Amino acid sequence: MRRGVVLVLLSLLLFPTIVGAKEAASWEQERMYFIMVDRFVDGNPDNNAQVDKDDPKAFHGGDIRGVIEKLDYIESLGFTSVWLTPVFENMPDGYHGYWIKDFYNIDPQFGTKEDLQELVDEAHKRDMKVILDFVVNHVGPKHPWVEERPDWFHDELPIVLWNDQEQVETHWLFDLPDFKTEDPEVKDYLLDAATYWIEETGIDGYRLDTVRHVDKPFWEDFVKAVRAVDPDFYLLAEVFDPDPQYVAEYDDLGFNSITNFTFYDRVSKTMTQKSASVDEIDVAASYAETFFNDPNQMATFLDNHDVERFMHVAELGGAESAERRLRLGLFALYASPGMPIVFQGTENAQKGGADPANRAMTDFPGNEELHEYVTMMNRMREEYPVFATGEQRMIASKDGMAVFERRDGDDVALYAINMNAEDREIEFEVSEVGEDTRLRGLLFSQLVTDKRGTFTIKLAGESANAYIVEESEVNMWTIGLLVIAIPIFLTGLVMWKRRKSAS
């Protein structure tokens, strides 16, 4: 009996104990794929009346049917939700969806209400969520309502002083008729339209466009209205400004999440430059921690339909390999606090400058090697929720290489990034993480062990790795038990042999 107990003890002591992962909150654990519907997939050529592929500012044929056809593709990459640009009926040439004409109809170029319902149903079968873009700030240019219902709109004045909040909220953005959202009749119309699509289709959330251009009381009423229909309805607010202190003014209005343009400005832009500062990751996280209620609920991204694509900027910035930098950017996106959003085509290393060059149709089958990397990033987030829920802290930084900790209670992970073209290594005290621990690499096999109280992480040039912190196979407690257990085991073995010989 004693021998069996000792062997069981030895087996438990000599194998590592992996820290258990805590289940993450629903939306911070999401991985979102952003689709500009007209520039994704043409699933129904019969609705291409306005298509002119030679004109970069005309419809190119993408539709809701095309999104349905690619749900398996999106799911295979590891995404859990899709965000679509507005699909409501637009004014002529409103291929992007933001020039809305009728909030209660689907644009014929994109399909039908039945198509949208089918998309939601098919996504839900795959345990995926559907987010629709919703615009309340304005309608499309030359909208007939400007003459028919002039009281619904602010006076036609351009925004001249962008730091004047009154102008930002009441003047016309790029010549688009600006709704007088403080007017009760306008507010009722927009709130009714928003609740209509929730009730009719069962969509899971809205990405709210141009939030900073609409008065805050309207948003408080909007949140109450949609939550009255669905208490779990997701609201992602786009506040297009890199100043975290300004953006934080919208953090108490009831939205689930706000777009983190500070991350884009400090991290994405930096990582496209020839000499990139890895410390900007810490700067962005510190801003989010300082100004926002929950940094993990912020929505992070490398590029989108309103800015130049990451690959384009990296090539202009002089990066030796724009695609290698894109991988580093994606790694930072997934390892850092915030819900990651990937714009269609980024998984193909798609290029493109300013609008409309950044909105070209997505290529299929695309860059399959990069697909594998994106899939790996999504799997890392899924299997290790600490990357979605943990607080971030920079442990060490030296010569363009840094190590960060993500910690949620007892659930701890690290990640390291080397922004240099050359191989680098960095040291830090084991006590920064916890005694009697080791680091197990996730992206590629790498076991980092305690060397005289120090961890040393080595990375090739322009590479990164994530690490799970786990108990060492043999620690001082283990050694102490072995000192006691082994003599007992040996004494028992000698006594057993003597009895056997005597018999």
Side-chain angles (χ1 to χ4, degrees), residues 210-260:
T210 52
V211 163
R212 63 177 295 208
H213 295 279
V214 177
D215 60 290
K216 294 183 179 67
F218 172 89
W219 288 123
E220 292 174 330
D221 291 340
F222 186 95
V223 171
K224 292 176 184 177
V226 298
R227 294 273 166 72
V229 177
D230 180 358
D232 298 322
F233 198 74
Y234 177 70
L235 294 174
L236 167 58
E238 183 227 20
V239 183
F240 199 142
D241 196 293
D243 179 358
Q245 192 167 2
Y246 173 78
V247 177
E249 295 177 10
Y250 295 86
D251 203 20
D252 293 322
L253 300 182
F255 306 120
N256 298 84
S257 182
I258 302 176
T259 48
N260 193 340

Side-chain angles (χ1 to χ4, degrees), residues 36 38-40 56 60 95-96 98 304-307 309 343-344 350-362:
M36 175 162 277
D38 178 66
R39 302 301 171 89
F40 192 51
H60 285 190
Y95 73 91
H96 41 67
Y98 294 96
N304 64 25
H305 59 317
D306 290 324
V307 299
R309 283 191 176 268
F343 182 31
Q344 66 181 65
Q350 193 164 315
K351 302 175 184 178
D355 167 21
N358 56 349
R359 302 173 175 184
M361 291 289 282
T362 302

